[in-house]
Amino acid sequence: MASHIVGYPRIGPKRELKFAQESFWDGKSSAEDLQKVAADLRASIWKQMADAGTKFIPSNTFSYYDQVLDTTAMLGAVPPRYGWTGGEIGFDIYFSMARGNSSQPAMEMTKWFDTNYHFIVPELGPETKFSYASHKAVSEYKEAKALGIDTVPVLVGPVSYLLLSKPAKGVEKSFSLLSLLRKVLPVYKEVIVELKAAGATWIQFDEPTLVLDLQSHQLQAFTEAYSELESSFSGLNVLIETYFADVPAEAFKTITALSCISGFGFDLVRGTQTLDLIKGGFPSGKFLFAGVVDGRNIWANDLASSLSTLEGLEAIVGKDKLVVSTSCSLMHSAVDLVNETKLDSEIKSWFSFAAQKVVEVNALAKALAGTKDEAFFSSNAAAQASRKSSPRVNNEEVQKAAAALKGSDHRRATPVSARLDAQQKNLNLPILPTTTIGSFPQTMDLRRVRREYKANKISEEEYVQAIREEISKVVKLQEELDIDVLVHGEPERNDMVEYFGEQLAGITFTVNGWVQSYGSRCVKPPIIYGDVSRPKAMTVFWSSMAQSMTSRPMKAMLTGPVTILNWSFVRNDQPRFETCYQIALAIKKEVEDLEAAGIQVIQIDEAALREGLPLRKSEHSFYLDWAVHSFRVTNCGVKDTTQIHTHMCYSNFNDIIHSIIDMDADVITIENSRSDEKLLSVFREGVKYGAGIGPGVYDIHSPRIPSTEEIADRINKMLAVLESNILWVNPDCGLKTRKYTEVKPALANMVAAAKLLRKELASA
């Protein structure tokens, strides 16, 4: 019985790759140093999989930045602005594409399907020339072979590569990216021929776009591509791997009809309907790579349940054609549970990180082959049982309260226009009021204070005093700048989700549970393991303290339920919406406590609302209904005079604008400066929006300081499509990653621009 791993984390168990990359980028170490760290990581991963008994071990899933960028390099599809003149692509061109350089901006980055990983989007056009320019896939195959390990080289498939690309700047938006198929296939052929010559017997093509809603001409491209490659496949076994959702019936029919393909990989965790398609007819003599071990979470597999699924499949495809696999690459899970020394032992027994998932896949394969490790299976069954019955998971009161939400839609009783009038009487703000999103620069000193307090090196009094001084500094600065609605700057917070997760019951944290977000940036998601509740107030102490320092309105900042959900590892024993409703009720209590403490402006951030949107259109409305409902639950009980803000990071708003309006917030601030036109076009097309809105007037992701004129010009563009009485003036996002030397002049120019336009509006 064979086992297969789709892909594996490249960051290293203790983020070794991240530190090596950043050291290289800072000029503190050489290219050879970085390559050495990478080679050691690859060798240890391959060895670990081989030792566990894995038959199909992937190579070329390692990356110095991103696997789609690696494909761009392989195809020589370098945008002309980087001045590449041919030859093998090295770190200089590669990292310029990923990160930009002193003269050229980086290529665009966007989310990889519905994960929290981001890939570098290829920029293509009719003029793009393709040539074999990075031999990474072949050299990594040979590197593993020299260690005595035969691997399956993994390539991003040609059709998915093109479907995930975008027309380059200056190319018609309507340009058909699939028209380039004929141009990219010759390069793929060269790679295949070279891999075959090096000794490869299997090649894996990742074609995850097969799970999307595709049109018939897009499906036709798969048939064309693989029929064209067929001549170079002789003597090779070829696997087409899909993941993240069900494969729609039409797509299933299209790929399983390809006679040149030896095996098909399916995600059977998120793609349970694909099981019905397999039962309805799987091509005889082909291999089925059954993705039963979840690559996207950290829960231990229910081995008994997976085994019975596999036994059912074995009866359809035959014993020698079934391969046990992961649902997708394990790069979306944390690396190794061994490094979690502080986790409670009961909770830890419920988890399985990438290294443990490799063991699970092999244990299932051995069990199918008749050599079941009874001890391993019974300890797994015991952990599953303890998770089901544990009082730490189950809180009846929370379950009842969340169940009771389903009967009502939790809207504030008064319509938004009347609320805004009541709020204006109360807050008395000027036209085009100014505010910021919440965080102010996090200095080294501030991080040190938090670190020392966490390590018990300073007392609680010393900590509170240090944070109080920081808040006072931030409040004074905003008053000097003459900002209208102030914030306390969030000096006590490490991360917008972690800060709340640490104070909510039912959520735990790891020490090394890092997952790659993009490049060298890693995140450590909270783990929601049980029913969520709020034992005590989380932010009221600091917000009240800040409000007592000023007579201006002090805005409190909370992270919304949908964002906490979408940026965490979520329990898989109940629907996601139930967990979301529980978090909403916890945030609702906080909102009500803030209001009772005299806070009149409360912001509930939903940065990740759109990130949870399912991959299929047919599932969008169900998700948006419960997500928007959860947001309304948090603030449905406040007085008309309490102003509720929300903040969102820009991500193709246009298609969910009606859901955003349905959130019924009083004011929404939106990250917009990088994509001005896109966002404003929604309002230009006649969408009526009656609540307050603050599209960001400058990009905080860049150290650049925009001039007063530039900001005034932006605000004028907004006034062309939005009423002056609903427009707010604010930066794009929080300021925590910037320096004070950048923040002070940028905010001064922002306030000056707002005052300039107030004058112009008054005289008009």
Side-chain angles (χ1 to χ4, degrees):
M1 210 64 218
S3 53
H4 166 245
I5 306 295
V6 176
Y8 198 82
R10 47 302 271 236
I11 57 176
K14 297 198 170 162
R15 292 182 294 161
E16 291 84 350
L17 184 62
K18 169 198 174 70
F19 299 120
Q21 283 165 316
E22 291 174 357
S23 166
F24 172 67
W25 295 334
D26 292 344
K28 292 177 183 157
S29 59
S30 68
E32 291 71 38
D33 295 332
L34 174 54
Q35 284 159 339
K36 169 92 174 76
V37 170
D40 289 348
L41 283 171
R42 288 193 295 264
S44 73
I45 292 165
W46 290 325
K47 189 174 178 325
Q48 177 191 336
M49 290 193 209
D51 290 349
T54 315
K55 180 176 177 187
F56 297 103
I57 297 173
S59 59
N60 200 39
T61 58
F62 174 85
S63 177
Y64 286 103
Y65 207 92
D66 161 55
Q67 68 272 15
V68 180
L69 181 62
D70 293 348
T71 312
T72 296
M74 178 184 91
L75 295 168
V78 180
R81 65 176 179 275
Y82 299 109
W84 175 63
T85 50
E88 185 79 2
I89 288 172
F91 281 161
D92 51 346
I93 295 289
Y94 181 83
F95 287 133
S96 292
M97 292 193 283
R99 310 176 63 238
N101 56 34
S102 54
S103 62
Q104 294 300 336
M107 291 167 73
E108 187 195 337
M109 186 165 72
T110 196
K111 277 169 59 72
W112 179 242
F113 295 82
D114 57 349
T115 69
N116 289 324
Y117 175 75
H118 301 73
F119 72 98
I120 303 287
V121 183
E123 301 170 13
L124 308 175
E127 305 303 307
T128 308
K129 300 263 187 293
F130 298 95
S131 64
Y132 187 12
S134 164
H135 293 61
K136 175 178 176 293
V138 178
S139 59
E140 286 187 18
Y141 174 79
K142 288 177 172 170
E143 190 182 310
K145 203 165 184 192
L147 297 167
I149 297 170
D150 189 31
T151 59
V152 178
V154 178
L155 302 173
V156 174
V159 185
S160 290
Y161 177 78
L162 293 174
L163 290 175
L164 294 167
S165 303
K166 67 169 191 180
K169 221 182 178 146
V171 174
E172 285 297 314
K173 286 279 166 275
S174 60
F175 172 69
S176 160
L177 293 154
L178 286 175
S179 68
L180 298 170
L181 194 56
R182 293 262 165 253
K183 290 186 174 179
V184 302
L185 292 175
V187 182
Y188 274 92
K189 283 184 181 172
E190 284 185 69
V191 181
I192 294 162
V193 167
E194 233 180 74
L195 284 168
K196 210 161 43 173
T201 54
W202 275 85
I203 296 184
Q204 172 179 326
F205 288 94
D206 280 10
E207 292 282 13
T209 53
L210 281 162
V211 306
L212 302 176
D213 295 311
L214 297 178
Q215 295 160 348
S216 56
H217 76 277
Q218 294 171 316
L219 283 175
Q220 184 57 37
F222 288 95
T223 307
E224 281 170 31
Y226 288 94
S227 307
E228 175 63 29
L229 291 172
E230 183 166 3
S231 58
S232 48
F233 287 161
S234 67
L236 265 181
N237 286 297
V238 178
L239 162 65
I240 288 185
E241 182 62 58
T242 67
Y243 36 78
F244 301 148
D246 286 299
V247 173
E250 274 308 302
F252 183 84
K253 214 160 78 188
T254 303
I255 58 163
T256 52
L258 293 169
S259 58
C260 59
I261 303 301
S262 328
F264 304 94
F266 300 112
D267 179 337
L268 301 180
V269 175
R270 287 183 179 231
T272 44
Q273 289 161 16
T274 306
L275 276 172
D276 298 335
L277 294 175
I278 295 167
K279 287 169 188 161
F282 187 78
S284 70
K286 302 292 188 183
F287 287 87
L288 171 62
F289 287 71
V292 292
V293 171
D294 195 342
R296 283 185 63 170
N297 71 17
I298 44 62
W299 302 108
N301 188 274
D302 181 340
L303 295 177
S305 160
S306 295
L307 190 56
S308 85
T309 300
L310 290 164
E311 285 164 349
L313 291 169
E314 194 178 60
I316 298 166
V317 302
K319 212 177 183 64
D320 56 337
K321 294 291 187 237
L322 183 63
V323 181
V324 183
S325 184
T326 56
S327 66
C328 62
S329 169
L330 298 176
M331 65 181 282
H332 307 290
S333 182
V335 184
D336 195 343
L337 196 54
V338 164
N339 298 312
E340 298 306 323
T341 47
K342 293 186 177 165
L343 273 178
D344 165 283
S345 63
E346 183 188 25
I347 293 179
K348 189 173 176 175
S349 75
W350 305 336
F351 296 162
S352 169
F353 292 0
Q356 288 67 45
K357 289 174 188 288
V358 170
V359 174
E360 290 176 339
V361 166
N362 283 290
L364 286 164
K366 285 171 190 143
L368 271 179
T371 51
K372 185 174 176 186
D373 180 340
E374 295 294 350
F376 188 73
F377 270 73
S378 65
S379 78
N380 172 270
Q384 298 293 325
S386 105
R387 193 177 153 206
K388 276 194 184 77
S389 60
S390 172
R392 306 163 106 159
V393 170
N394 302 295
N395 178 332
E396 208 173 317
E397 191 186 336
V398 171
Q399 289 167 10
K400 275 190 184 137
L405 291 175
K406 291 181 188 126
S408 150
D409 67 355
H410 301 88
R411 289 177 192 277
R412 290 168 78 180
T414 315
V416 70
S417 51
R419 299 197 309 258
L420 288 170
D421 289 344
Q423 291 156 14
Q424 180 53 20
K425 284 196 184 81
N426 184 32
L427 298 169
N428 198 18
L429 299 170
I431 199 157
L432 304 179
T434 53
T435 189
T436 62
I437 304 304
S439 61
F440 265 66
Q442 298 241 339
T443 59
M444 299 296 268
D445 285 349
L446 197 50
R447 292 193 166 134
R448 194 197 66 243
V449 166
R450 281 207 309 264
R451 214 169 36 242
E452 288 179 350
Y453 177 55
K454 228 174 176 169
N456 294 323
K457 287 184 181 157
I458 58 173
S459 69
E460 187 166 4
E461 287 87 301
E462 290 171 293
Y463 172 70
V464 170
Q465 186 49 34
I467 299 291
R468 178 185 280 123
E469 283 166 19
E470 182 67 25
I471 292 174
S472 164
K473 211 168 73 185
V474 168
V475 170
K476 278 202 183 74
L477 171 63
Q478 292 171 94
E479 288 184 329
E480 284 162 19
L481 290 164
D482 204 16
I483 291 174
D484 301 306
V485 173
L486 311 192
V487 297
H488 77 294
E490 306 182 7
E492 78 288 8
R493 303 186 190 179
N494 43 5
D495 168 90
M496 63 182 280
V497 173
E498 196 166 326
Y499 179 76
F500 293 95
E502 284 174 339
Q503 302 186 71
L504 293 167
I507 301 183
T508 190
F509 286 84
T510 59
V511 177
N512 277 299
W514 298 97
V515 180
Q516 185 183 19
S517 170
Y518 62 86
S520 70
R521 175 147 167 80
C522 302
V523 291
K524 191 153 59 76
I527 298 173
I528 304 176
Y529 65 86
D531 292 329
V532 177
S533 61
R534 184 201 71 148
K536 58 181 198 304
M538 305 181 281
T539 63
V540 178
F541 175 77
W542 301 115
S543 286
S544 309
M545 175 195 289
Q547 183 63 81
S548 71
M549 297 174 180
T550 180
S551 57
R552 298 181 186 218
M554 175 58 64
K555 177 167 69 170
M557 280 78 57
L558 304 173
T559 301
V562 187
T563 298
I564 291 176
L565 184 88
N566 285 338
W567 284 351
S568 298
F569 283 124
V570 182
R571 55 192 290 194
N572 58 355
D573 57 350
Q574 66 178 22
R576 285 174 78 87
F577 65 83
E578 288 188 18
T579 304
C580 198
Y581 282 141
Q582 293 179 357
I583 305 169
L585 288 169
I587 301 295
K588 180 178 195 274
K589 286 185 172 163
E590 188 71 14
V591 168
E592 287 163 7
D593 283 354
L594 283 163
E595 183 184 63
I599 303 295
Q600 298 176 334
V601 183
I602 301 169
Q603 176 174 303
I604 305 161
D605 285 349
E606 282 295 11
L609 180 92
R610 197 184 181 287
E611 290 194 10
L613 208 56
L615 296 173
R616 291 282 174 58
K617 286 234 169 29
S618 58
E619 295 163 24
H620 284 192
S621 64
F622 178 66
Y623 165 76
L624 288 166
D625 285 351
W626 63 253
V628 168
H629 185 191
S630 298
F631 177 82
R632 288 200 307 264
V633 165
T634 63
N635 60 82
C636 61
V638 299
K639 296 185 291 223
D640 287 351
T641 49
T642 298
Q643 190 165 76
I644 298 294
H645 288 225
T646 187
H647 174 66
M648 296 188 151
C649 293
Y650 171 77
S651 52
N652 295 340
F653 258 54
N654 307 20
D655 53 356
I656 61 162
I657 189 72
H658 294 288
S659 298
I660 290 168
I661 293 170
D662 204 34
M663 289 167 77
D664 197 28
D666 297 310
V667 179
I668 172 169
T669 53
I670 302 183
E671 176 191 357
N672 154 70
S673 71
R674 289 186 167 190
S675 40
D676 258 0
E677 291 308 310
K678 268 191 196 162
L679 174 72
L680 294 179
S681 68
V682 180
F683 301 107
R684 218 171 280 130
E685 284 152 19
V687 169
K688 289 281 168 276
Y689 189 74
I693 182 164
V697 295
Y698 80 90
D699 178 12
I700 64 93
H701 297 96
S702 155
R704 228 182 116 256
I705 294 156
S707 66
T708 301
E709 296 69 36
E710 187 184 324
I711 295 176
D713 180 49
R714 274 229 157 101
I715 300 170
N716 265 324
K717 270 192 194 148
M718 294 167 189
L719 286 169
V721 290
L722 293 163
E723 297 294 329
S724 59
N725 63 338
I726 63 170
L727 191 63
W728 282 65
V729 176
N730 46 264
D732 244 4
C733 266
L735 305 169
K736 76 174 179 193
T737 58
R738 301 265 56 96
K739 300 182 173 72
Y740 272 107
T741 50
E742 298 154 356
V743 165
K744 284 180 192 170
L747 290 178
N749 293 349
M750 181 185 88
V751 173
K755 289 180 173 173
L756 184 73
L757 288 168
R758 281 173 201 157
K759 259 198 189 132
E760 287 177 15
L761 288 167
S763 62

